[in-house]
Amino acid sequence: MRDLFALLCVQFAKRNTPKRKERFLAWLAHSAQDLGFEVHIDEKKKGKMSSRNLLVGNFSKCENIVVTGYDTPSKVMMPGYTYYPFNFKKDHKQEMIALASQMASSIFVIFLFYLLVRGFNDYNIWMKVGAVIIGIAMIVISFFLGKGMANKYNFNKNTSALCVGITLMQEAAAAKDNRTAFVFCDNVSASFYGYAQIAENMEKKLKGKNLIILDCVASDGDVFIAHKKADKQLAEGLSKHLPGSKLLERPTDVPGCMQWFNNLMYVTSGIADEQHEIKIKNTRSRKDGKLDMDRLEAIHKMLTSYLNIETNEK
């Protein structure tokens, strides 16, 4: 798993543009087909936005479905940005503030460009050359600030979960085990859109299946297995395979995965506040370069044990 994580962090470190996503999906789909899996692309378009989820496995015969995100986010300009995986309103508010900060930064650079060129005719030749060079740099910076620059490090959101998902896929193929299928999900690094797409487009495929979502499992805080009240027994069955993991019951009266899915176990790591709200720091920033490999391997072991996938580990 260490080698796979290194591959994802080097060869596919940024998966935030259509071209980069296409390149990664081509590699992953080809890898899954070489392992003998059925592979399908579930695509949803809304205006100029396109979301492509990769479906791997036999969804009519499987008992469990493992879901991980594969896209990576843009970098946020907002200090203290926090990800709330189970609070749609709070997370949406964070995204709007981050977007406003991003646009304000872009506008500020444009204002500096205006100040630079306002007195251009009064500059001497060398000052004009310097102003042109600086002005071009400002235009480029403003463009990328407005568009959103790719985040450089994405260990926690969401390369770690992706690494576990692909490893489980490889091990299921080696064991010729078709009881587990996989969804590698687009547009979940900065929104819940990809999960909503699963709920909308895969309703029949999900019926009667257990769903395990892996999200932000690289480091920091406790490991939580979130569930709604009706799925407590299911979550307890998964939790017993990872001593020290904590169960977290979440309400279903707000938009999000707990409302959209039945038989759901949502595995994540973070800090719980007094209201049992999970907060995850340092995603979408250069600080998202921390990995606890022992934790990642423990989560992987929990899942292979729960899913009853035979591995070559002794």
Side-chain angles (χ1 to χ4, degrees):
M1 194 157 66
R2 294 173 185 267
D3 290 342
L4 175 59
F5 189 85
L7 172 71
L8 294 173
C9 289
V10 175
Q11 191 169 345
F12 302 106
K14 299 173 184 178
R15 306 178 293 275
N16 65 308
T17 65
K19 186 175 181 180
R20 287 168 173 168
K21 290 179 183 180
E22 180 68 29
R23 177 171 168 265
F24 171 75
L25 276 184
W27 171 80
L28 183 56
H30 184 73
S31 299
Q33 288 173 327
D34 285 348
L35 291 171
F37 283 109
E38 298 176 32
V39 174
H40 303 281
I41 295 286
D42 176 53
E43 184 171 13
K44 183 177 180 180
K45 293 185 177 180
K46 187 176 181 180
K48 294 183 178 180
M49 180 179 179
S50 177
S51 180
R52 306 179 76 203
N53 292 346
L54 181 67
L55 281 53
V56 176
N58 190 325
F59 286 83
S60 61
K61 293 183 179 180
C62 72
E63 299 170 5
N64 302 284
I65 301 172
V66 175
V67 178
T68 75
Y70 72 80
D71 65 318
T72 57
S74 60
K75 183 178 180 180
V76 295
M77 308 302 294
M78 183 182 82
Y81 173 85
T82 303
Y83 169 48
Y84 295 90
F86 306 117
N87 192 316
F88 180 84
K89 290 182 179 179
K90 278 189 177 182
D91 194 68
H92 183 69
K93 183 179 179 181
Q94 290 278 294
E95 291 299 329
M96 292 299 101
I97 295 173
L99 181 61
S101 300
Q102 183 177 310
M103 296 307 298
S105 299
S106 179
I107 292 171
F108 179 69
V109 173
I110 292 174
F111 175 70
L112 293 179
F113 175 77
Y114 164 74
L115 295 179
L116 177 70
V117 301
R118 187 175 60 173
F120 187 81
N121 290 334
D122 297 327
Y123 297 162
N124 62 40
I125 184 63
W126 294 112
M127 290 179 67
K128 286 181 178 180
V129 171
V132 168
I133 295 172
I134 294 172
I136 293 173
M138 283 182 168
I139 292 172
V140 173
I141 291 171
S142 177
F143 171 78
F144 281 107
L145 284 173
K147 181 182 178 182
M149 295 182 289
N151 197 47
K152 186 175 182 180
Y153 301 110
N154 304 287
F155 284 21
N156 204 27
K157 189 92 177 134
N158 218 343
T159 300
S160 54
L162 179 62
C163 181
V164 174
I166 295 174
T167 300
L168 290 172
M169 179 188 76
Q170 294 169 339
E171 291 169 341
K176 300 187 184 303
D177 190 338
N178 64 1
R179 293 171 298 173
T180 303
F182 303 87
V183 179
F184 298 98
C185 197
D186 195 4
N187 286 310
V188 295
S189 65
S191 72
F192 297 95
Y193 187 84
Y195 297 139
Q197 180 180 339
I198 293 175
E200 181 179 343
N201 292 5
M202 297 181 61
E203 184 177 358
K204 292 183 179 179
K205 288 183 171 69
L206 297 177
K207 191 173 182 179
K209 315 295 185 183
N210 298 330
L211 192 68
I212 302 173
I213 294 178
L214 304 178
D215 181 27
C216 293
V217 294
S219 62
D220 292 337
D222 297 308
V223 175
F224 292 93
I225 301 173
H227 61 90
K228 55 188 179 184
K229 187 175 182 179
D231 297 330
K232 182 178 180 180
Q233 188 174 358
L234 198 64
E236 288 175 339
L238 177 60
S239 179
K240 71 180 183 180
H241 295 281
L242 182 59
S245 60
K246 297 183 178 181
L247 296 179
L248 183 71
E249 185 176 314
R250 301 303 304 158
T252 60
D253 58 350
V254 293
C257 293
M258 295 298 160
Q259 187 180 88
W260 299 330
F261 301 115
N262 295 317
N263 305 326
L264 171 64
M265 294 161 280
Y266 195 118
V267 182
T268 190
S269 60
I271 306 296
D273 62 17
E274 294 80 3
Q275 288 75 41
H276 304 289
E277 191 71 68
I278 302 298
K279 300 186 293 184
I280 302 174
K281 300 283 189 179
N282 300 327
T283 63
R284 304 188 65 183
S285 74
R286 67 176 62 186
K287 293 182 180 179
D288 191 6
K290 182 179 177 182
L291 171 67
D292 185 340
M293 182 55 76
D294 290 338
R295 164 178 288 186
L296 203 63
E297 290 176 342
I299 291 172
H300 164 251
K301 186 176 180 181
M302 171 188 72
L303 291 166
T304 56
S305 179
Y306 177 80
L307 298 171
N308 199 24
I309 297 175
E310 295 182 8
T311 69
N312 293 325
E313 294 180 3
K314 296 181 180 180

